[in-house]
Amino acid sequence: MEWALGLVVLVGAAVALAALARRIGVGEPFVLTVAGVIGSYLWFVPEFDIEPELVLLGLLPPLLYTTAIRTSLIDFRPKKVSITLLSVGLVLFTTFAVAGVVVWLLPVPFAAAVAIGAVVAPPDAVAATAVARRVGMPRRLITLLEGESLFNDATALVTLRTAIAAMAGTVTIWEAGGDFLGAAGGGALIGGAAAAFLMFLRRRITDPVLDTSVSLLAPWIAYLPAERFHASGVIAVVTCGLILGHGAPRWQSAASRIAEQTNWRTIQFILESTVFLLIGLQVRHIFEDAWNSDLPHSTLAITCVAVLATVILSRPIWMFPATHLAWRIEGRRHGAQRPHWSGPAVLSWAGMRGVVTLAAALLLPADTPELATLVLLAVVVVAGTLLLQGLSLPLLVRKLDMRGPSRAEDLLQEANLLQQATTAGLAALEANITPETPPEVVDALRHRVEYRARSAWELLGRSESQRVTPSGEYRRLRLAMLGAERETILRVRDSGVVDHEVLQEVMATLDLEESTIDRVLDTDGDDGELLAAPVTAGCEHLRAAPRTAVPDLPDACAECLAEGLVWVHLRMCLECGHVACCDSSVGNHATKHFHHTGHPVMRSVEPGESWRWCYLDEQLG
């Protein structure tokens, strides 16, 4: 009973602290870790001991899986060399750099030093991406961090397992290399087989509840067999998640995808919050065990500082040459420009460690020399990187003027993609109409998809307080109607004259409709006609601007090339033909061109896009 109460209090406190961190705008890992450290010194807080098997079996597989199913294979493929250099090369480089420092300062064998090096080498998937998204880092950098964090734990754990085996006997470098390749290859094969089995099974499940239940078992269906055959369970889970996430839109129903995403997001939030609170709660008793050992306190302090500095410095030492090597191998072939130094600089400082480091430290055998000190080194690295790098990373991003994704640019992409989908849907509608099809059904379907496309374009204009739009009015009125309908149903429920099951079905119908109403937050429109494209009424600049086809233009932003920057999308001024980068790009040169020249209208020159934008009236055409 006591452990159940403690678990409830632990999870409740973690969720409350995470909510507080979001409210005050501070990184969740930092707030939770500091709160845990403070809690570990309070007399009424019991001592929480992390069981390594609980983390490696209970926490790591679901956290990796939920990240993998949301990772794009399309974005992953062009960066496979960069991700491999970080998730394998950087982990091994950090491992042996730390091992050299530990052997120099502590009376431990080289195998034990390699083991603690492998423990502290991999950055944490949760901490790095959580901070990266909060500070608004460019998506290409977040993709690299996510890809690195998906596979670096596998490299570290396989290296740790080999080092522990070396402490118990003799392991040659060839045996270690063979073990590493076998674990990686075996994990990928088992992960692929698990994905094929789950895909076969879930294709035949139509009930979202059953499908989500199978999804919750997926991480362990991949992880446990891989570990049973001495392969990498981490790679198995990641491979399985990447395959399932990529193929889900083709074989999984919409209801199942929505239910799965909602459930996994909830699980991820709870686990991440609990994990960082647990890290902080370990600090006191781990520190006391090391402080009371036979090692001189001065040596202990020097070793902690030296290992933390080695971990932090190893990353930029490896990152800069690895970034340029990856560009020469794969980036230049795909037409990417030479990477600017600011990208590797930010990635170098995004090396926060987390709970996997702490759990791996607890896997060290009990007879390991200076075990208490080695575990303390892991705690110092976790706490030090979370506090130093986690707190200063937002400042570094701002100082380097790293521009995150522009909300306006995202809305443009969403609207353009919806426009293409709407065109395809209307074509399919026309092709499938039969003589028996009622005209009112066709009109209703056409009206619905045109309304959806128009709503997406309206999000790009001015605020609803300045002008009311059809989609905004539809949302406002329909929500008022749904509120009245729900009140009526609740009155009938309270009267007790209708069966509860019937009431639940009707209430679920209303809830589903309300959840799917288009959320028009910032809109701008002109009239009540529902069109499937942006209009130019009310903007003389758009009416006067030419609707030219895209000529043979340079496929680069000249200003970005001159400044050594990276662009995301290209825009063309319709008055002088100047081509520059979009607002999501670091340079923001298209908007700067408008401010410098006053030319009001530009258009997208990206493939498949034909929209125009007036800077003065903030309207699309």
Side-chain angles (χ1 to χ4, degrees):
M1 186 65 182
E2 289 185 2
W3 70 265
L5 178 61
L7 181 62
V8 170
V9 172
L10 176 68
V11 174
V15 171
L17 288 167
L20 175 64
R22 291 186 177 185
R23 185 174 183 85
I24 63 179
V26 180
E28 296 167 36
F30 169 73
V31 171
L32 289 162
T33 304
V34 171
V37 173
I38 295 173
S40 68
Y41 284 91
L42 297 178
W43 74 94
F44 57 85
V45 176
E47 183 176 306
F48 286 87
D49 289 318
I50 292 182
E51 291 293 333
E53 293 298 324
L54 172 64
V55 174
L56 298 178
L57 277 177
L59 299 181
L60 187 58
L63 285 175
L64 288 171
Y65 182 80
T66 189
T67 302
I69 59 175
R70 292 186 291 106
T71 299
S72 169
L73 270 178
I74 306 301
D75 293 338
F76 185 87
R77 288 169 183 164
K79 297 179 175 61
K80 55 184 178 295
V81 173
S82 301
I83 291 172
T84 301
L85 288 172
L86 295 180
S87 60
V88 178
L90 178 55
V91 169
L92 294 177
F93 177 73
T94 306
T95 295
F96 287 98
V98 171
V101 172
V102 171
V103 166
W104 177 41
L105 295 174
L106 294 180
V108 296
F110 183 70
V114 172
I116 193 59
V119 165
V120 301
D124 182 71
V126 177
T129 54
V131 175
R133 293 186 184 279
R134 184 175 62 84
V135 302
M137 287 172 56
R139 286 200 178 99
R140 58 187 176 82
L141 300 185
I142 295 178
T143 300
L144 286 175
L145 284 176
E146 289 179 337
E148 175 193 7
S149 63
L150 284 174
F151 292 100
N152 59 10
D153 288 333
T155 304
L157 292 175
V158 171
T159 305
L160 174 62
R161 185 169 62 191
T162 304
I164 291 176
M167 284 191 283
T170 302
V171 177
T172 68
I173 188 171
W174 300 110
E175 290 173 335
D179 183 43
F180 183 86
L181 294 177
L189 288 175
I190 293 174
F197 167 73
L198 289 167
M199 195 178 301
F200 173 82
L201 178 64
R202 295 172 68 182
R203 278 181 185 273
R204 287 151 180 80
I205 298 176
T206 57
D207 187 345
V209 174
L210 294 177
D211 185 67
T212 304
S213 300
V214 174
S215 172
L216 296 179
L217 297 174
W220 293 279
I221 291 176
Y223 187 89
L224 294 176
E227 291 294 319
R228 173 65 178 81
F229 291 102
H230 304 289
S232 172
V234 170
I235 291 181
V237 171
V238 171
T239 303
C240 179
L242 286 172
I243 294 173
L244 292 179
H246 183 72
R250 296 188 179 277
W251 54 264
Q252 195 179 21
S253 68
S256 294
R257 286 198 302 273
I258 293 172
E260 182 181 28
Q261 291 170 6
T262 302
N263 280 280
W264 275 116
R265 285 181 62 188
T266 303
I267 292 172
Q268 181 183 22
F269 173 73
I270 293 174
L271 291 182
E272 289 176 357
S273 303
T274 306
V275 156
F276 286 107
L277 185 60
L278 278 173
I279 290 174
L281 290 171
Q282 303 301 301
V283 169
R284 179 182 178 181
H285 72 86
I286 290 177
F287 175 77
E288 290 176 347
D289 290 343
W291 193 256
N292 294 325
S293 66
D294 296 332
L295 198 69
H297 293 169
S298 59
T299 302
L300 180 65
I302 292 172
T303 305
C304 288
V305 173
V307 168
L308 177 60
T310 303
V311 168
I312 292 176
L313 293 176
S314 296
R315 193 169 174 86
I317 292 173
W318 178 272
M319 184 70 69
F320 281 92
T323 299
H324 286 276
L325 176 62
W327 174 76
R328 290 186 176 277
I329 294 175
E330 64 180 356
R332 188 164 54 177
R333 187 176 70 243
H334 292 100
Q337 62 270 39
R338 185 185 295 273
H340 191 256
W341 67 269
S342 59
V346 170
L347 289 176
S348 298
W349 203 244
M352 290 75 75
R353 270 58 177 178
V355 71
V356 175
T357 291
L358 193 56
L362 299 178
L363 290 175
L364 294 173
D367 58 351
T368 302
E370 302 295 341
L371 176 61
T373 301
L374 296 181
V375 175
L376 177 63
L377 292 178
V379 173
V380 169
V381 169
V382 172
T385 54
L386 281 175
L387 298 181
L388 292 176
Q389 296 180 315
L391 283 179
S392 57
L393 182 60
L395 178 62
L396 178 63
V397 171
R398 288 193 296 268
K399 287 292 185 182
L400 294 179
D401 195 26
M402 301 293 290
R403 187 178 297 275
S406 166
R407 178 57 178 160
E409 287 288 338
D410 285 351
L411 290 174
L412 281 170
Q413 298 298 315
E414 292 170 14
N416 186 70
L417 187 58
L418 270 176
Q419 185 66 53
Q420 297 179 45
T422 298
T423 302
L426 290 173
L429 173 64
E430 297 297 333
N432 287 278
I433 294 175
T434 65
E436 292 78 22
T437 303
E440 58 271 19
V441 173
V442 176
D443 291 340
L445 290 170
R446 185 179 291 114
H447 179 87
R448 174 56 190 157
V449 296
E450 290 177 347
Y451 162 77
R452 183 188 62 191
R454 175 58 181 269
S455 298
W457 288 109
E458 287 174 348
L459 285 168
L460 293 155
R462 296 181 179 178
S463 66
E464 191 172 0
S465 62
Q466 297 177 10
R467 176 162 289 184
V468 176
T469 61
S471 55
E473 280 297 278
Y474 176 92
R475 172 179 176 269
R476 182 181 69 84
L477 295 173
R478 188 62 188 121
L479 288 176
M481 294 168 62
L482 286 169
E485 293 167 9
R486 184 174 290 104
E487 286 298 322
T488 299
I489 294 172
L490 292 177
R491 283 198 298 271
V492 173
R493 180 200 65 182
D494 295 340
S495 67
V497 298
V498 178
D499 289 339
H500 182 64
E501 289 78 6
V502 176
L503 287 166
Q504 282 186 316
E505 289 294 328
V506 176
M507 187 67 76
T509 301
L510 298 187
D511 290 342
L512 180 61
E513 182 178 356
E514 182 174 347
S515 68
T516 56
I517 289 179
D518 296 318
R519 299 293 175 175
V520 182
L521 300 178
D522 295 303
T523 59
D524 189 4
D526 298 284
D527 50 41
E529 184 182 3
L530 295 178
L531 303 175
V535 296
T536 62
C539 179
E540 60 182 21
H541 309 100
L542 286 171
R543 287 197 299 269
R547 292 180 176 272
T548 58
V550 178
D552 292 332
L553 295 170
D555 58 353
C557 173
E559 288 95 332
C560 284
L561 288 176
E563 299 173 19
L565 301 178
V566 179
W567 64 86
V568 180
H569 302 293
L570 295 176
R571 312 296 184 223
M572 181 182 72
C573 174
L574 288 181
E575 187 160 331
C576 66
H578 177 75
V579 175
C581 60
C582 66
D583 285 354
S584 286
S585 304
V586 177
N588 196 14
H589 291 119
T591 300
K592 289 179 180 177
H593 174 75
F594 157 69
H595 290 306
H596 178 68
T597 64
H599 297 167
V601 181
M602 63 85 169
R603 66 155 292 167
S604 171
V605 294
E606 294 297 317
E609 297 183 2
S610 60
W611 53 265
R612 301 172 300 158
W613 173 257
C614 176
Y615 286 103
L616 292 175
D617 294 327
E618 297 182 12
Q619 286 195 22
L620 277 159

